[in-house]
Amino acid sequence: MFCNQCGKEIADNAVMCPNCGAPVKKEAVIPANASEKDWLTTLLLCFFLGGIGVHSFYAGKTLFGVLQLLTLGGCGVWTLIDFVMIICGNYKDGEGKVIVNKR
């Protein structure tokens, strides 16, 4: 790992750079197969409009969205499963990419 300020190599578990004293910024690791869809938007759509499948339409899963619309979210079961999967970071968009919290 390298220092954000001086560019010198530092230990991976360093809190501050031993060369210049600058604090080390740890950045979140985002998976390579992360979706461009917003995690919070997907979560809120599922919570408020999940019974009619709006979160599935947003994620690009049109066929699954239509099925949720016709069955009212599988009587709430599909909506609950999707909600838990979104929170856990395992919900995928229509292209098979994972919708993750990037914040």
Side-chain angles (χ1 to χ4, degrees):
M1 190 162 85
F2 297 94
C3 176
N4 299 331
Q5 295 293 321
C6 67
K8 296 197 178 184
E9 189 171 356
I10 56 176
D12 289 339
N13 59 353
V15 179
M16 60 188 285
C17 177
N19 300 309
C20 68
V24 176
K25 296 179 184 175
K26 303 277 184 180
E27 296 178 8
V29 178
I30 298 173
N33 65 339
S35 174
E36 294 295 319
K37 302 292 183 184
D38 185 54
W39 177 82
L40 183 59
T41 303
T42 308
L43 182 72
L44 292 174
L45 286 173
C46 184
F47 184 78
F48 290 110
L49 300 171
I52 55 175
V54 174
H55 65 285
S56 295
F57 287 111
Y58 173 74
K61 298 177 166 184
T62 309
L63 180 61
F64 196 64
V66 170
L67 287 173
Q68 285 185 327
L69 180 63
L70 295 175
T71 62
L72 294 176
C75 295
V77 175
W78 285 343
T79 304
L80 180 62
I81 291 171
D82 285 350
F83 188 73
V84 171
M85 288 181 66
I86 293 167
I87 290 174
C88 293
N90 294 327
Y91 191 72
K92 296 182 179 180
D93 66 6
E95 297 175 354
K97 296 180 178 180
V98 181
I99 299 175
V100 293
N101 187 357
K102 297 175 187 169
R103 296 182 183 131

